[in-house]
Amino acid sequence: MDRHAPYLREMGLTRWRFGARNTDTVSIHPDKEEICQDPGADGNLAKLASLAQEAERCERCELHRTRDKVVFGSGTPAVRWLFVGEAPGAEEDKQGLPFVGRAGALLGAMLTSIGLSRKDVYIANVLKCRPPNNRDPFGQEVRECSPFLHKQIDLVQPAVIVAMGRFAAQALLNSDQSLGQLRGSAHTFGEISVPLVVTYHPAYLLRSPAAKSKTWEDLLLAQSLLV
Ligand code: URA
């Protein structure tokens, strides 16, 4: 049996629905040799570590009063994919790592469905601290916290960004359009025009599994934007 089959099933997908396109998607990994030769990667790793320390001390908004741990992000600058979520949940707040709860397990399946694993991607959130009771982020919190995410993007220099959910999409694209309006086409982020694709948040997919196949199509779109 194909080793990806269990993960595609977890995503609610079957190969026959997508035919040959799927075969194309499972072989793409970051080019490790290219990464090793990147002289900037080590310097950016140190800068990311120092930015993470700055976030640990951050008291820009009220969320610092209720957080347990700051959830800065996970991964290294030597990757091509950046996945951005909304904000840490209870488990992430406890562990200090993004997407380690149920939504994180589904994100893992999403990655595997396109031949990636967590070590191939950088994962971050718009907010670095958990909103109490997982309420929606306030606009002011997004504005105060966004500079951290923007600096992370500068340092990771991803080849493609996947914005998961409405908050990540609107924050990164500086837009008030709905997720439905933003998904399904290629966008760009920032002055250096990093390709950006909008998709559903894994927590939404847990509630609405029928959207998993659309998410996979979004991931294929993101993959097609990699040069
Ligand atoms: N949801 C998010 O948006 N981010 C996490 O890290 C976990 C759940």
Side-chain angles (χ1 to χ4, degrees):
M1 188 173 64
D2 188 299
R3 71 192 167 89
H4 295 285
Y7 305 100
L8 291 168
R9 248 200 320 275
E10 176 71 19
M11 281 287 288
L13 300 166
T14 48
R15 275 178 180 270
W16 56 264
R17 273 185 74 176
F18 293 94
R21 279 186 81 190
N22 185 40
T23 318
D24 296 341
T25 66
V26 293
S27 61
I28 298 205
H29 283 280
D31 181 339
K32 303 288 186 222
E33 270 181 30
E34 190 183 311
I35 286 161
C36 293
Q37 286 163 6
D38 177 358
D42 279 353
N44 285 1
L45 188 59
K47 286 181 190 161
L48 267 178
S50 136
L51 188 63
Q53 283 172 359
E54 193 187 317
E56 297 284 334
R57 297 187 297 269
C58 179
E59 298 186 355
R60 288 179 204 170
C61 78
E62 291 300 300
L63 295 182
H64 78 274
R65 298 188 192 283
T66 47
R67 74 182 174 218
D68 182 356
K69 293 207 168 69
V70 170
V71 180
F72 179 69
S74 68
T76 73
V79 295
R80 305 178 74 200
W81 291 77
L82 172 67
F83 283 75
V84 181
E86 178 178 317
E91 198 51 41
E92 290 77 19
D93 181 59
K94 224 182 279 172
Q95 295 191 35
L97 289 168
F99 284 97
V100 288
R102 281 183 69 220
L106 185 50
L107 175 57
M110 285 164 57
L111 296 179
T112 311
S113 75
I114 51 161
L116 298 171
S117 72
R118 282 181 80 112
K119 70 175 170 31
D120 299 317
V121 304
Y122 194 94
I123 303 173
N125 284 305
V126 175
L127 296 191
K128 307 306 184 207
C129 298
R130 182 190 181 206
N133 303 316
N134 298 344
R135 65 157 168 74
D136 286 349
F138 294 152
Q140 185 243 351
E141 291 162 353
V142 172
R143 283 190 292 280
E144 302 279 17
C145 211
S146 285
F148 283 116
L149 180 58
H150 292 180
K151 283 183 200 156
Q152 277 173 304
I153 295 172
D154 279 351
L155 293 170
V156 174
Q157 296 181 351
V160 68
I161 299 173
V162 180
M164 300 181 290
R166 174 169 67 92
F167 281 96
Q170 292 180 340
L172 287 167
L173 294 173
N174 197 18
S175 164
D176 57 8
Q177 287 190 293
S178 69
L179 186 120
Q181 288 169 315
L182 293 171
R183 72 164 286 282
S185 55
H187 304 268
T188 58
F189 170 81
E191 285 173 14
I192 48 168
S193 295
V194 184
L196 186 151
V197 168
V198 172
T199 195
Y200 296 104
H201 192 285
Y204 172 78
L205 296 178
L206 289 172
R207 299 190 300 272
S208 309
K212 286 179 181 176
S213 57
K214 286 189 185 161
T215 301
W216 195 54
E217 287 166 6
D218 297 336
L219 296 177
L220 295 184
L221 171 62
Q223 198 169 57
S224 75
L225 300 174
L226 287 170
V227 282

